[in-house]
Amino acid sequence: MNKRLLMLLSFLALFGTIIAGCGPTATPTTAPEPTTAVQPTAKGPEPTKPPAQVSATIVLWHAWTGAEETVLKDIVADFQAANPNITVDLLAVPFDQLQSKYTTEAGAGGGPDLLIGPTDWVGPLAEAGLLAKLDDLVASIVGDYLPATVDALRWQGDLYGFPESFEAVAMFYNTDLVETPPTTVDELKAA
């Protein structure tokens, strides 16, 4: 797995855990049994070099404003503080332009590394080949999410995103004013 993708997945896992409040619970462990010390040989193994510090920039596009954008910036600041070698560049794009801008840029080989958008974009963007399949890369962490939230990000059986929230939309009506509720949009308009 390339290092940039690993960084993206790390950010996604942190982001999803903070936003969705998901994550495995800690279980206490016991200390390992003491072992006898290894006696040095006449000539020990050659010391290994520590791995080079990986630097990366992650570009994330979103359409959040107000409190949502403030929380996103706070999460990114916390992530960057914990990972000083990774920079996250946020780009706020007006919602009515975000899908078009992403489609244009990604179609030309550019665009962001991460995109925050609604689930109904998954199908069209996947069909256009503008999203990466994530199933094999994230199999170990998707179980921490509600199945319905994950399934909403699948297209033709393949996973293309992580849930950041779960929304249930309902309409309430006053039974004193509306005897029979509308069942279609046309009936709602007529009412």
Side-chain angles (χ1 to χ4, degrees):
M1 177 182 314
N2 77 32
K3 292 175 186 174
R4 184 175 174 100
L5 184 57
L6 186 57
M7 296 293 174
L8 289 171
L9 291 175
S10 297
F11 178 77
L12 277 174
L14 175 68
F15 178 75
T17 300
I18 291 170
I19 291 292
C22 309
T25 57
T27 55
T29 59
T30 58
E33 292 293 321
T35 59
T36 57
V38 175
Q39 298 300 319
T41 59
K43 181 178 181 190
E46 291 293 319
T48 58
K49 292 182 183 179
Q53 184 86 1
V54 176
S55 295
T57 298
I58 299 169
V59 178
L60 187 152
W61 289 3
H62 66 92
W64 289 358
T65 59
E68 288 177 329
E69 185 175 26
T70 300
V71 169
L72 178 60
K73 287 178 179 179
D74 290 345
I75 290 169
V76 167
D78 290 347
F79 176 81
Q80 290 183 148
N83 302 277
N85 55 321
I86 303 173
T87 302
V88 180
D89 288 339
L90 295 174
L91 178 63
V93 178
F95 182 77
D96 63 342
Q97 299 170 24
L98 184 59
Q99 185 178 18
S100 174
K101 181 174 179 64
Y102 177 80
T103 302
T104 301
E105 294 290 327
D113 300 301
L114 299 171
L115 172 69
I116 299 175
T119 58
D120 62 350
W121 291 2
V122 172
L125 294 177
E127 283 287 317
L130 301 176
L131 298 176
K133 294 179 184 179
L134 301 175
D135 296 281
D136 294 338
L137 300 173
V138 299
S140 64
I141 59 175
V142 294
D144 293 337
Y145 294 90
L146 291 171
T149 63
V150 175
D151 290 343
L153 295 163
R154 292 188 186 281
W155 179 251
Q156 298 182 348
D158 294 312
L159 182 64
Y160 288 95
F162 283 96
E164 57 78 21
S165 62
F166 185 69
E167 180 180 13
V169 179
M171 184 174 84
F172 297 91
Y173 66 96
N174 184 336
T175 56
D176 292 336
L177 300 174
V178 179
E179 187 175 316
T180 305
T183 58
T184 67
V185 173
D186 290 334
E187 288 178 12
L188 180 62
K189 288 178 183 177

